[in-house]
Amino acid sequence: MPKENISASVIKRLPRYYRFLAELKKQNVLHISSRQLAENMGLTASQIRHDLNCFGGFGQQGYGYVVSDLYCEIGKIIGVNQCNPTILIGAGNLGKAIASHINFDNKGFKLIGIFDSDTNLKGKKIGEFEIMHTDVLKDFCKSEKPVAAVLCIPKAAAADMADTLIEYGIQAFWNFSHYDLKINHSDVIVENVHLGDSIMTLSYGLNNIRK
Ligand code: NAI
């Protein structure tokens, strides 16, 4: 099946499969059936078979999946070994937390620069990175050719920054800014993160499911 026909919900589950398989590998589990994997993950066996069949299927009837093979295959499908050069814009509280706590390297990305428009932050360090002023963004993008950006700036600044970054060659955004990037740029790849949505989903569960 061509990759573009795979549903968003299947793609969303891939990192979860990858994480579970990593745990199984750590526990030295060699084989797992779709039923066992389903039990571990709170899914159904047929859902797992359906999801993995989207990519060609990796199990054998009556034998299940070889954990390390499936882990490698799913890693390849996600692209965890790619090193897509990535920049982070906005070195405030959120930007600092993301730059410090997310390991980009084993997720398909390589963080190569952090930028902020606040001149007071220029030269300050986050881990191994010295924060650069956005004045040098154009030259940096020209020489280092980042393809992805993490947006940790306020919504009001995000539209202009997204336009600029796309002009400089950015093709994918990990967008925390609450600005709907797809409105003006339907062609870029965007993963929006709204932690507030997540806790509101929790609120719904607490108020409607438990009561
Ligand atoms: P902050 O105020 O600590 O940091 C924002 C940083 O962006 C500042 O250092 C500022 O100088 C910089 N900045 C502003 N305009 C810029 C521009 N045009 N170019 C480069 N840098 C620029 O704010 P914080 O707490 O880090 O949050 C950042 C944004 O992320 C906020 O708008 C907030 O609403 C949003 N946010 C989103 C979350 C989510 O789940 N999506 C969670 C938390 C915050």
Side-chain angles (χ1 to χ4, degrees), residues 147-193:
V147 295
V150 187
L151 280 192
C152 300
I153 54 177
K155 184 179 182 181
D160 285 349
M161 180 51 76
D163 289 349
T164 302
L165 290 171
I166 290 166
E167 194 188 313
Y168 294 169
I170 296 296
Q171 301 156 28
F173 289 87
W174 197 23
N175 178 29
F176 289 82
S177 76
H178 300 313
Y179 159 66
D180 188 353
L181 259 156
K182 283 281 182 189
I183 291 177
N184 294 324
H185 302 287
S186 55
D187 48 337
V188 292
I189 300 159
V190 182
E191 185 61 27
N192 295 307
V193 185

Side-chain angles (χ1 to χ4, degrees), residues 178 194-208:
H178 300 313
H194 297 290
L195 295 177
D197 289 5
S198 176
I199 195 163
M200 282 193 282
T201 309
L202 185 68
S203 169
Y204 178 87
L206 202 54
N207 295 321
N208 296 281

